[in-house]
Amino acid sequence: RPTFTRSYTERAGKFSNPAARQLLEVMARKQSNLCISVDVTLKGEFLEVVDAVGPYTCLIKTHIDIIEDFDQDLITQLKNLSSKHDFLIFEDRKFADIGNTVVLQYSKGVHKIASWSDITNAHAIPGPSIITGLASVGVPLGRGLLLLAEMSSKGSLASGSYTEGAVRMARDHRDFVIGFIAQNRMEGIGSRGFEAEVDEDFLIITPGVGLDQSGDSMGQQYRTPFQVVAEGGSDVIIVGRGIYGGGVDIPTIQTRAERYRAEGWKAYEARLK
Ligand code: S5P
């Protein structure tokens, strides 16, 4: 039985990585496969939105480097909200450098990402050394890594043999790489024949999700939660502007978050059958 037709709970027990296990457990507990991307640029607004949407989400995705008034208290408050509402934190850092540099970017600087972010992500472009570098920081802390195997933007170069290469890199680092940012499932991709026999499971986290729009003016492309989860077999949908966008008030943001949570969960239940 392919992994994506099994329940999140059943799959949780199979992951050795603590971040992957915790994420799948939270998803089952809250009936939410919705990751909310809170791409706003002021600390106060960021925390207000996170507190408002916390009940509906399994995972809050951040771009911490866009916050203009970042300080350590933001991290303290974000972690408090993650306990209050029971969600994990995913810093969408998209690391893309040599091992030695990503070690420093992950653990040091103003943001000290490794100290608070359960999950982060990296491009495969530098080759396996980016994983070993990040793992040297993340594994002792129980963190998980997603590799970008595909992107949602028009004209993305991450396809074909590039995607295959990313999947092979992930297979060699199962303790730390928990899955992919991708538009499709990756089973069978880059398989050399024998991997198919291995009971492999990777989380597929998919951005480019929207119910009311098909894209934006800068190359973003949207599909619906049903297309992504029920038809495509993805595990987690990422929604940003579909929830916080358009300058709407907090009650509207909450209504939208619940709408995406319900749609994402319905699509998951549909594919289990
Ligand atoms: O391929 C990708 C990968 C990512 S992580 N396409 C994406 O859009 N993202 C991120 O998902 C992007 O950086 C943004 O934070 C979010 C999508 O936001 P939305 O407002 O378009 O839903």
Side-chain angles (χ1 to χ4, degrees):
R1 201 152 59 92
T3 46
F4 66 91
T5 63
R6 301 176 196 166
S7 73
Y8 294 139
T9 307
E10 185 183 345
R11 291 168 64 192
K14 298 261 165 77
F15 275 87
S16 61
N17 179 283
R21 225 173 31 233
Q22 283 164 28
L23 178 61
L24 284 159
E25 286 166 4
V26 171
M27 289 161 68
R29 207 158 44 231
K30 294 177 77 175
Q31 303 207 333
S32 174
N33 52 17
L34 171 62
C35 168
I36 304 185
S37 182
V38 187
D39 300 339
V40 301
T41 56
L42 291 173
K43 172 185 169 183
E45 186 187 359
F46 172 82
L47 291 169
E48 190 185 18
V49 172
V50 172
D51 195 18
V53 300
Y56 312 102
T57 187
C58 58
L59 186 63
I60 288 287
K61 186 172 86 59
T62 58
H63 282 301
I64 206 67
D65 58 351
I66 68 174
I67 307 249
E68 299 194 26
D69 49 351
F70 173 87
D71 60 10
Q72 200 50 42
D73 175 65
L74 185 160
I75 297 303
T76 306
Q77 292 205 51
L78 175 61
K79 288 176 77 172
N80 287 343
L81 290 173
S82 112
S83 308
K84 175 181 170 188
H85 295 297
D86 190 21
F87 59 72
L88 272 68
I89 304 169
F90 165 22
E91 163 58 20
D92 184 5
R93 176 61 180 77
K94 297 188 181 74
F95 292 103
D97 215 319
I98 61 165
N100 186 65
T101 300
V102 296
V103 164
L104 299 172
Q105 291 172 323
Y106 190 24
S107 59
K108 306 285 185 186
V110 176
H111 298 122
K112 300 177 185 28
I113 293 165
S115 73
W116 52 269
S117 185
D118 301 289
I119 294 169
T120 190
N121 55 356
H123 286 292
I125 190 94
S129 58
I130 192 168
I131 303 180
T132 42
L134 291 169
S136 73
V137 175
V139 168
L141 296 170
R143 307 307 188 199
L145 183 73
L146 301 166
L147 282 186
L148 283 116
E150 294 172 326
M151 291 195 72
S152 62
S153 39
K154 214 170 283 175
S156 164
L157 302 182
S159 62
S161 60
Y162 182 88
T163 302
E164 283 180 24
V167 174
R168 289 211 185 91
M169 275 169 57
R171 285 196 182 116
D172 291 339
H173 297 88
R174 295 289 342 240
D175 58 331
F176 187 46
V177 181
I178 61 174
F180 302 99
I181 299 290
Q183 298 294 311
N184 301 284
R185 288 209 72 81
M186 293 291 131
E187 280 93 359
I189 301 261
S191 162
R192 284 159 290 193
F194 55 85
E195 287 95 339
E197 293 167 30
V198 178
D199 194 21
E200 116 177 341
D201 192 5
F202 285 111
L203 297 173
I204 305 292
I205 318 280
T206 303
V209 177
L211 281 161
D212 304 315
Q213 240 125 39
S214 63
D216 66 11
S217 61
M218 297 187 195
Q220 176 68 296
Q221 305 175 111
Y222 292 122
R223 293 181 295 157
T224 66
F226 191 85
Q227 288 173 308
V228 166
V229 176
E231 295 174 3
S234 171
D235 298 310
V236 176
I237 54 171
I238 298 177
V239 183
R241 285 164 290 177
I243 291 175
Y244 71 79
V248 296
D249 60 8
I250 289 288
T252 306
I253 290 175
Q254 287 181 305
T255 305
R256 290 176 177 180
E258 167 54 18
R259 179 178 178 220
Y260 277 98
R261 186 210 63 78
E263 290 288 329
W265 196 258
K266 201 169 67 184
Y268 159 70
E269 289 187 320
R271 86 175 187 209
L272 290 180
K273 287 172 190 144

